[in-house]
Amino acid sequence: MLTGRTRTKETESRTGISLLEHALRADVDWGFNCSRGTCARCRCYIAEGSDLLEEPTDAEWDRLGPDELDAGFRLGCQAKVARTGTIKAVNRTYF
Ligand code: FES
């Protein structure tokens, strides 16, 4: 399940693509700007299924840091699905 600013949708998870790509394919209004892991506009809270995602990228460690990663936040443009299953991601941008 993906929740953006104005829409919540369920979509089938696919391995190897990012949460942002899932949101765009499902037409969810998900904030993003750079798609490179620097702006953090795509930041999201993983309410369920964080173990189904690939490990945080160097960009996520640099931009979010251990406190936000531990609290369940990821960058949608960086977090890719490693295994299919139920993932609930909510776009929680800073601004
Ligand atoms: S879109 Fe800029 S960090 Fe993800």
Side-chain angles (χ1 to χ4, degrees):
M1 181 174 76
L2 302 159
T3 300
R5 287 174 289 193
T6 58
R7 185 174 291 184
T8 296
K9 266 197 170 177
E10 289 195 22
T11 185
E12 193 167 326
S13 61
R14 296 177 55 182
T15 60
I17 67 171
S18 70
L19 296 176
L20 175 60
E21 289 172 276
H22 280 85
L24 295 176
R25 289 177 183 201
D27 197 26
V28 173
D29 187 15
W30 194 280
F32 71 101
N33 191 12
C34 71
S35 298
R36 295 188 317 268
T38 56
C39 75
R41 190 154 177 79
C42 65
R43 186 180 79 136
C44 57
Y45 177 69
I46 308 301
E48 185 178 340
S50 61
D51 56 321
L52 300 175
L53 298 173
E54 292 182 2
E55 292 298 313
T57 65
D58 289 346
E60 290 179 283
W61 282 107
D62 290 345
R63 190 63 179 86
L64 298 176
D67 290 348
E68 286 193 89
L69 288 169
D70 285 350
F73 291 96
R74 298 290 302 266
L75 294 178
C77 71
Q78 299 293 301
K80 291 184 178 177
V81 174
R83 295 188 309 281
T84 57
T86 301
I87 301 169
K88 293 183 180 178
V90 182
N91 189 200
R92 290 267 171 83
T93 188
Y94 293 116
F95 46 89

